[in-house]
Amino acid sequence: MSGTTNWAEAIRPLLKKYRKKKHPLDYQNIYQLIVMVVLSAQSTDKVINTLAPQLFDAFPDMASLAKTTPAKLFPYIRGVRNFGHKADWLTQIAKKIGKDDQIPLSMEELTALPGIGRKSANVILREAGVAPQGIIVDLHVIRVAPRLGIATGDDPKKLEQQLMDILPKKEWDAGMAMSFLGREICQPKPKCEICLMNPVCTFYKESK
């Protein structure tokens, strides 16, 4: 990790580009977002976006989801990895929350729900417009952050802590910004030449 780069300043172009960009999950409200975030673990946003309309036609809100059983979710989510566990988590979440207007929006409360870890909670809080209580670290960030040189390693919790230590809280949306960069530019085979972060990127400097 670079000790000379002022990352609070260097990350700003990335934040400017992506700060208000909506998450790729095509949700319409926070209830839908929670369901889709739980389902998306180890799956792709595209898969979840495809199955979501039929699922939400059948279960349009938290109250309807709370009344069903895991087995009744299976036909709608069978194409998702670990769908059995996820169906169980979703019905447990719905029974604990009860109604859409009772959805908790704090890190502590969200991570107390089954199937929701820090990454998922950070995504939900961001999309709900709540002040950040952490930094999103997904598979894209795990790839992008070490390449940039802003953090090291591949442990999500340790990466998040490093980023929280380096960046002021007002810039904690950098996690989602790096995720978008990873999806569009800093892919496994990166498009370094067109990346707006190449002036400060360790990977780019070392590959020249």
Side-chain angles (χ1 to χ4, degrees), residues 67-208:
K67 294 175 184 176
T68 195
T69 62
K72 289 181 180 178
L73 293 180
F74 290 174
Y76 302 96
I77 65 171
R78 199 175 297 276
V80 177
R81 180 177 289 188
N82 295 327
F83 70 88
H85 289 300
K86 291 175 181 178
D88 188 44
W89 293 338
L90 288 173
T91 53
Q92 287 184 53
I93 288 171
K95 286 176 171 62
K96 287 185 178 183
I97 294 175
K99 299 179 180 179
D100 290 6
D101 61 5
Q102 296 174 346
I103 292 172
L105 291 175
S106 73
M107 176 65 69
E108 183 178 2
E109 291 173 297
L110 284 170
T111 54
L113 297 170
I116 298 180
R118 284 193 62 88
K119 185 208 79 172
S120 296
N122 280 323
V123 170
I124 293 164
L125 293 172
R126 177 193 189 261
E127 298 300 304
V130 176
Q133 296 170 33
I135 295 178
I136 295 168
V137 175
D138 61 14
L139 290 174
H140 303 287
V141 179
I142 291 170
R143 178 176 66 254
V144 172
R147 281 182 176 175
L148 286 175
I150 192 173
T152 59
D154 57 8
D155 180 281
K157 290 182 179 180
K158 291 179 180 178
L159 274 171
E160 183 185 9
Q161 189 60 57
Q162 288 177 63
L163 294 170
M164 289 167 67
D165 290 343
I166 290 167
L167 298 172
K169 194 169 185 179
K170 66 181 180 179
E171 295 182 349
W172 282 7
D173 197 38
M176 195 66 236
M178 283 188 278
S179 180
F180 282 124
L181 186 72
R183 296 164 192 264
E184 297 174 5
I185 305 294
C186 196
Q187 298 164 349
K189 186 176 180 180
K191 306 171 185 176
C192 296
E193 295 299 332
I194 62 169
C195 181
L196 81 169
M197 294 301 288
N198 65 33
V200 295
C201 178
T202 298
F203 180 87
Y204 180 66
K205 291 174 183 175
E206 292 178 351
S207 64
K208 291 177 71 177

